[in-house]
Amino acid sequence: MDHQIIIDALKDNGNLIEGISDPTDDMVLAAVKNTPNAIYNVKNKPQWIVMMLASEDSRFFHLVNDIELDLDKSLDLVNRFPSFYTKIKNKTQLITDCAVMKLPLLIQNVPEQFQTEELCKYVAKTAPAMLPYIKKRTKEIDEIALNENPF
């Protein structure tokens, strides 16, 4: 069958992807643009398409595999979509700081070596409910959290 005919059909009905055993990336893209849930019918999901879907709709976040990006791309990704921090394999202090400053709830996913005193104080001040996830707690950090949330 002609490739363009398939693309046009998928643009009209994304669920047709289920009948294609080895779809190309452009076929998958055409299908999910019409019907995002069609991604579940694709055996070998292109990760760039999964990431696109997840950045538009968090329901697809669980489909994203762990990713390894260079520093600039990782920073750009967590700056735009902080929750992707949990999927980055090669975390650094800078990537961690950027992600947690955007979304303090991520402290629960931060390895201990990246929980600096400054970052922990920031989380205690902005999201005191996350105090149990701060691994390097000090009396000062506890007091900051208590001052922000006295109940």
Side-chain angles (χ1 to χ4, degrees):
M1 193 178 261
D2 182 76
H3 186 81
Q4 191 56 48
I5 293 172
I6 295 171
I7 296 292
D8 291 341
L10 290 168
K11 285 180 180 177
D12 289 336
N13 181 355
N15 289 321
L16 293 174
I17 196 81
E18 189 173 11
I20 302 172
S21 60
D22 193 21
T24 61
D25 284 9
D26 58 335
M27 289 178 187
V28 176
L29 184 60
V32 300
K33 280 190 172 186
N34 172 279
T35 313
N37 284 336
I39 195 70
Y40 292 108
N41 297 322
V42 178
K43 185 175 182 174
N44 296 316
K45 299 166 182 47
Q47 277 301 293
W48 71 272
I49 294 175
V50 172
M51 286 181 65
M52 178 196 72
L53 283 172
S55 67
E56 295 171 1
D57 187 337
S58 62
R59 291 179 302 147
F60 300 104
F61 188 74
H62 69 282
L63 297 174
V64 177
N65 293 333
D66 287 348
I67 49 179
E68 194 162 340
L69 301 170
D70 66 35
L71 180 62
D72 289 338
K73 287 181 182 172
S74 293
L75 284 171
D76 181 55
L77 183 64
V78 299
N79 194 39
R80 291 186 298 133
F81 310 105
S83 57
F84 275 97
Y85 172 80
T86 62
K87 300 294 185 173
I88 294 176
K89 282 184 183 180
N90 51 329
K91 294 173 177 69
T92 66
Q93 188 66 58
L94 187 58
I95 293 167
T96 300
D97 291 348
C98 181
V100 175
M101 294 291 191
K102 293 271 185 187
L103 186 61
L105 302 178
L106 286 172
I107 195 69
Q108 61 192 315
N109 304 103
V110 174
E112 186 172 350
Q113 73 262 26
F114 296 132
Q115 288 196 14
T116 63
E117 185 175 358
E118 182 181 328
L119 188 63
C120 292
K121 286 178 181 178
Y122 175 81
V123 171
K125 183 168 182 57
T126 58
M130 293 290 100
L131 191 61
Y133 299 102
I134 295 175
K135 296 173 178 84
K136 294 182 176 181
R137 285 174 59 178
T138 63
K139 185 177 180 182
E140 184 182 4
I141 290 170
D142 288 349
E143 288 173 359
I144 291 170
L146 184 60
N147 289 337
E148 294 303 317
N149 187 16
F151 301 103

